[in-house]
Amino acid sequence: MSTSTPTWFITGASSGFGLAYAQYALSKGYNVVATARATEKLQSLQAEGDRRLLVAELDVTRTGAAEQAVTAAIAKFGGIDVLINNAGYAIVGALEETPETEIRALMETNFFGAMAVTRAVLPHMREKARGAIVNISSMGGQMSFAGVGAYSATKFALEGYSEALAQEVASFGIRVLIVEPGAFRTSLVSQGERFMPSHDAYREALAGVRKVMRDMDGTQAGDPLKAAAAIDIALASENMPLRLQLGDDAIDAVRQHAQRLLDDLEIWKDVGSNTRLDAGD
Ligand code: NDP
């Protein structure tokens, strides 16, 4: 990170995490490029903002929109130090309950949207030989369960590409941070979650998960402002991790999942290993 005032560029800043990242960064004296599909939703920020705030329209699925917003950011602040790919939403439903068009649309926002903004920002970060790309995944980007397969698929995709990107851009002085939050108090459940129509065959099996996902609204333990501070701590570290879990629920779930992976690997390694061509074949 440079010693000059850092500039954070945030997608999906109209609510929840994105708004909190913008509020946090402004409170720290950073420059903020707060982007949203509907910039009128950023009025509360504009009220507290000053010349360190640039509001820009950005629907991450709209072709050319990322380049426009990034150009405006560079014109105002001269560079972007931290890109937070935050815009996203969720689907709840089994595969058979979820039309392919819904899954493709989700992928457009959660995965291709983040890639498009990253693609627009990278040349500027390379030019300055510094920067950080923060991709907001989820604990659902490491593990999944019945009813959230489509959402997890987008976050697994985001994580796979982030892991490769981290290696591709390291020599340019650019770092990549994957963030895996658990349940945080945002508008995701009330506004950003699409429940697919229930199919008889899955009604009973998914009733529990549908109820948990609905009832979670307003009860999530995580504080988005504290998430912003945690991300900032990771960014300031010389030993920044590739993945940062946020919230005890995410830490426990990812730990358990990693342990299951190791346990299965140990139990099945002889079967898997015994697949080499025999000498002479
Ligand atoms: P919110 O619903 O509060 O915020 C989502 C934001 O994404 C909104 O600002 C929304 O804008 C924006 N958005 C959606 N589609 C687009 C698009 N095409 N272009 C630009 N912006 C878009 O939920 P969260 O704050 O919780 O979600 C933010 C991120 O955090 C998401 O990626 C989500 O997957 C992730 N996450 C959230 C968790 C949680 O518990 N809250 C847990 C794990 C991950 P608009 O106002 O225009 O709809």
Side-chain angles (χ1 to χ4, degrees), residues 4 7 21 48 104 137 175 180 196 216 226 243 267 275:
S4 60
T7 299
Y21 300 148
E48 30 180 299
R104 288 186 185 274
S137 175
R175 300 175 305 159
E180 298 173 341
M196 297 296 109
M216 160 192 301
K226 289 188 179 161
R243 290 180 168 82
I267 293 165
T275 50

PDB file of all heavy atoms in Angstrom, residues 4 7 21 48 104 137 175 180 196 216 226 243 267 275:
ATOM      1  N   SER A   4       0.538   7.461   0.252  1.00  0.00           N
ATOM      2  CA  SER A   4      -0.455   8.500  -0.043  1.00  0.00           C
ATOM      3  C   SER A   4      -1.852   7.950   0.264  1.00  0.00           C
ATOM      4  O   SER A   4      -2.025   6.765   0.543  1.00  0.00           O
ATOM      5  CB  SER A   4      -0.357   8.921  -1.503  1.00  0.00           C
ATOM      6  OG  SER A   4      -0.601   7.810  -2.309  1.00  0.00           O
ATOM      7  N   THR A   7      -7.112   4.788  -2.442  1.00  0.00           N
ATOM      8  CA  THR A   7      -8.427   4.896  -3.077  1.00  0.00           C
ATOM      9  C   THR A   7      -9.070   3.517  -3.154  1.00  0.00           C
ATOM     10  O   THR A   7      -8.484   2.586  -3.709  1.00  0.00           O
ATOM     11  CB  THR A   7      -8.276   5.493  -4.500  1.00  0.00           C
ATOM     12  OG1 THR A   7      -7.711   6.801  -4.389  1.00  0.00           O
ATOM     13  CG2 THR A   7      -9.620   5.574  -5.203  1.00  0.00           C
ATOM     14  N   TYR A  21     -18.434  -0.793   3.474  1.00  0.00           N
ATOM     15  CA  TYR A  21     -17.033  -0.609   3.051  1.00  0.00           C
ATOM     16  C   TYR A  21     -16.794   0.860   2.727  1.00  0.00           C
ATOM     17  O   TYR A  21     -15.754   1.424   3.063  1.00  0.00           O
ATOM     18  CB  TYR A  21     -16.702  -1.456   1.813  1.00  0.00           C
ATOM     19  CG  TYR A  21     -16.868  -2.945   1.992  1.00  0.00           C
ATOM     20  CD1 TYR A  21     -17.251  -3.759   0.923  1.00  0.00           C
ATOM     21  CD2 TYR A  21     -16.637  -3.555   3.219  1.00  0.00           C
ATOM     22  CE1 TYR A  21     -17.404  -5.129   1.072  1.00  0.00           C
ATOM     23  CE2 TYR A  21     -16.796  -4.929   3.376  1.00  0.00           C
ATOM     24  CZ  TYR A  21     -17.185  -5.703   2.299  1.00  0.00           C
ATOM     25  OH  TYR A  21     -17.347  -7.055   2.460  1.00  0.00           O
ATOM     26  N   GLU A  48     -22.746  12.379   3.771  1.00  0.00           N
ATOM     27  CA  GLU A  48     -21.590  12.426   4.663  1.00  0.00           C
ATOM     28  C   GLU A  48     -20.292  12.647   3.901  1.00  0.00           C
ATOM     29  O   GLU A  48     -19.261  12.917   4.487  1.00  0.00           O
ATOM     30  CB  GLU A  48     -21.457  11.153   5.519  1.00  0.00           C
ATOM     31  CG  GLU A  48     -21.975   9.897   4.895  1.00  0.00           C
ATOM     32  CD  GLU A  48     -21.836   8.654   5.761  1.00  0.00           C
ATOM     33  OE1 GLU A  48     -20.712   8.295   6.092  1.00  0.00           O
ATOM     34  OE2 GLU A  48     -22.870   8.040   6.066  1.00  0.00           O
ATOM     35  N   ARG A 104     -27.591 -18.690 -15.050  1.00  0.00           N
ATOM     36  CA  ARG A 104     -26.711 -17.899 -15.929  1.00  0.00           C
ATOM     37  C   ARG A 104     -26.700 -16.428 -15.503  1.00  0.00           C
ATOM     38  O   ARG A 104     -25.657 -15.781 -15.513  1.00  0.00           O
ATOM     39  CB  ARG A 104     -27.133 -18.042 -17.392  1.00  0.00           C
ATOM     40  CG  ARG A 104     -26.798 -19.406 -17.971  1.00  0.00           C
ATOM     41  CD  ARG A 104     -27.092 -19.483 -19.467  1.00  0.00           C
ATOM     42  NE  ARG A 104     -26.869 -20.821 -19.963  1.00  0.00           N
ATOM     43  CZ  ARG A 104     -25.684 -21.288 -20.369  1.00  0.00           C
ATOM     44  NH1 ARG A 104     -24.625 -20.493 -20.351  1.00  0.00           N
ATOM     45  NH2 ARG A 104     -25.556 -22.522 -20.793  1.00  0.00           N
ATOM     46  N   SER A 137     -16.343 -13.333  -1.712  1.00  0.00           N
ATOM     47  CA  SER A 137     -16.914 -14.653  -1.954  1.00  0.00           C
ATOM     48  C   SER A 137     -17.921 -14.919  -0.841  1.00  0.00           C
ATOM     49  O   SER A 137     -18.794 -14.091  -0.561  1.00  0.00           O
ATOM     50  CB  SER A 137     -15.783 -15.682  -2.010  1.00  0.00           C
ATOM     51  OG  SER A 137     -16.280 -16.972  -2.133  1.00  0.00           O
ATOM     52  N   ARG A 175      -1.969  -7.643  -5.303  1.00  0.00           N
ATOM     53  CA  ARG A 175      -2.346  -8.774  -4.450  1.00  0.00           C
ATOM     54  C   ARG A 175      -3.843  -9.055  -4.574  1.00  0.00           C
ATOM     55  O   ARG A 175      -4.626  -8.157  -4.917  1.00  0.00           O
ATOM     56  CB  ARG A 175      -1.985  -8.472  -2.996  1.00  0.00           C
ATOM     57  CG  ARG A 175      -0.493  -8.227  -2.819  1.00  0.00           C
ATOM     58  CD  ARG A 175      -0.155  -7.812  -1.407  1.00  0.00           C
ATOM     59  NE  ARG A 175      -0.918  -6.659  -0.991  1.00  0.00           N
ATOM     60  CZ  ARG A 175      -1.134  -6.330   0.281  1.00  0.00           C
ATOM     61  NH1 ARG A 175      -0.667  -7.084   1.246  1.00  0.00           N
ATOM     62  NH2 ARG A 175      -1.834  -5.263   0.590  1.00  0.00           N
ATOM     63  N   GLU A 180     -14.393 -14.526   2.694  1.00  0.00           N
ATOM     64  CA  GLU A 180     -15.443 -15.545   2.866  1.00  0.00           C
ATOM     65  C   GLU A 180     -16.265 -15.237   4.112  1.00  0.00           C
ATOM     66  O   GLU A 180     -16.019 -15.788   5.192  1.00  0.00           O
ATOM     67  CB  GLU A 180     -14.802 -16.931   2.978  1.00  0.00           C
ATOM     68  CG  GLU A 180     -14.032 -17.326   1.720  1.00  0.00           C
ATOM     69  CD  GLU A 180     -13.241 -18.619   1.873  1.00  0.00           C
ATOM     70  OE1 GLU A 180     -12.989 -19.036   3.023  1.00  0.00           O
ATOM     71  OE2 GLU A 180     -12.881 -19.207   0.847  1.00  0.00           O
ATOM     72  N   MET A 196     -36.498 -19.673  -5.486  1.00  0.00           N
ATOM     73  CA  MET A 196     -37.106 -20.330  -6.638  1.00  0.00           C
ATOM     74  C   MET A 196     -38.401 -21.026  -6.210  1.00  0.00           C
ATOM     75  O   MET A 196     -38.526 -21.457  -5.057  1.00  0.00           O
ATOM     76  CB  MET A 196     -36.133 -21.373  -7.224  1.00  0.00           C
ATOM     77  CG  MET A 196     -34.849 -20.769  -7.753  1.00  0.00           C
ATOM     78  SD  MET A 196     -35.127 -19.648  -9.152  1.00  0.00           S
ATOM     79  CE  MET A 196     -34.789 -18.055  -8.432  1.00  0.00           C
ATOM     80  N   MET A 216     -33.373 -15.843   8.768  1.00  0.00           N
ATOM     81  CA  MET A 216     -32.083 -15.273   9.178  1.00  0.00           C
ATOM     82  C   MET A 216     -32.098 -13.736   9.119  1.00  0.00           C
ATOM     83  O   MET A 216     -31.332 -13.062   9.800  1.00  0.00           O
ATOM     84  CB  MET A 216     -31.055 -15.876   8.211  1.00  0.00           C
ATOM     85  CG  MET A 216     -29.783 -15.186   8.067  1.00  0.00           C
ATOM     86  SD  MET A 216     -28.858 -15.845   6.647  1.00  0.00           S
ATOM     87  CE  MET A 216     -28.679 -17.549   7.028  1.00  0.00           C
ATOM     88  N   LYS A 226     -17.511  -3.953  10.818  1.00  0.00           N
ATOM     89  CA  LYS A 226     -16.368  -4.680  11.379  1.00  0.00           C
ATOM     90  C   LYS A 226     -15.716  -5.554  10.304  1.00  0.00           C
ATOM     91  O   LYS A 226     -14.508  -5.804  10.337  1.00  0.00           O
ATOM     92  CB  LYS A 226     -16.800  -5.509  12.584  1.00  0.00           C
ATOM     93  CG  LYS A 226     -17.124  -4.629  13.781  1.00  0.00           C
ATOM     94  CD  LYS A 226     -17.354  -5.437  15.037  1.00  0.00           C
ATOM     95  CE  LYS A 226     -17.638  -4.497  16.207  1.00  0.00           C
ATOM     96  NZ  LYS A 226     -18.285  -5.190  17.320  1.00  0.00           N
ATOM     97  N   ARG A 243      -7.098 -16.236   1.519  1.00  0.00           N
ATOM     98  CA  ARG A 243      -8.508 -16.287   1.927  1.00  0.00           C
ATOM     99  C   ARG A 243      -8.664 -15.775   3.349  1.00  0.00           C
ATOM    100  O   ARG A 243      -7.898 -16.145   4.239  1.00  0.00           O
ATOM    101  CB  ARG A 243      -9.036 -17.726   1.874  1.00  0.00           C
ATOM    102  CG  ARG A 243      -9.175 -18.267   0.465  1.00  0.00           C
ATOM    103  CD  ARG A 243      -9.708 -19.688   0.467  1.00  0.00           C
ATOM    104  NE  ARG A 243     -10.090 -20.103  -0.862  1.00  0.00           N
ATOM    105  CZ  ARG A 243      -9.230 -20.556  -1.782  1.00  0.00           C
ATOM    106  NH1 ARG A 243      -7.951 -20.657  -1.492  1.00  0.00           N
ATOM    107  NH2 ARG A 243      -9.658 -20.904  -2.976  1.00  0.00           N
ATOM    108  N   ILE A 267      -8.276 -41.476   3.948  1.00  0.00           N
ATOM    109  CA  ILE A 267      -8.952 -42.778   3.860  1.00  0.00           C
ATOM    110  C   ILE A 267      -8.844 -43.346   2.442  1.00  0.00           C
ATOM    111  O   ILE A 267      -8.639 -44.533   2.247  1.00  0.00           O
ATOM    112  CB  ILE A 267     -10.436 -42.639   4.272  1.00  0.00           C
ATOM    113  CG1 ILE A 267     -10.535 -42.301   5.758  1.00  0.00           C
ATOM    114  CG2 ILE A 267     -11.210 -43.918   3.971  1.00  0.00           C
ATOM    115  CD1 ILE A 267     -11.912 -41.800   6.184  1.00  0.00           C
ATOM    116  N   THR A 275      -3.407 -45.784  -9.395  1.00  0.00           N
ATOM    117  CA  THR A 275      -3.995 -45.596 -10.724  1.00  0.00           C
ATOM    118  C   THR A 275      -2.921 -45.313 -11.778  1.00  0.00           C
ATOM    119  O   THR A 275      -3.229 -44.884 -12.880  1.00  0.00           O
ATOM    120  CB  THR A 275      -4.979 -44.398 -10.699  1.00  0.00           C
ATOM    121  OG1 THR A 275      -4.322 -43.275 -10.107  1.00  0.00           O
ATOM    122  CG2 THR A 275      -6.244 -44.696  -9.912  1.00  0.00           C
TER     123      THR A 275
END
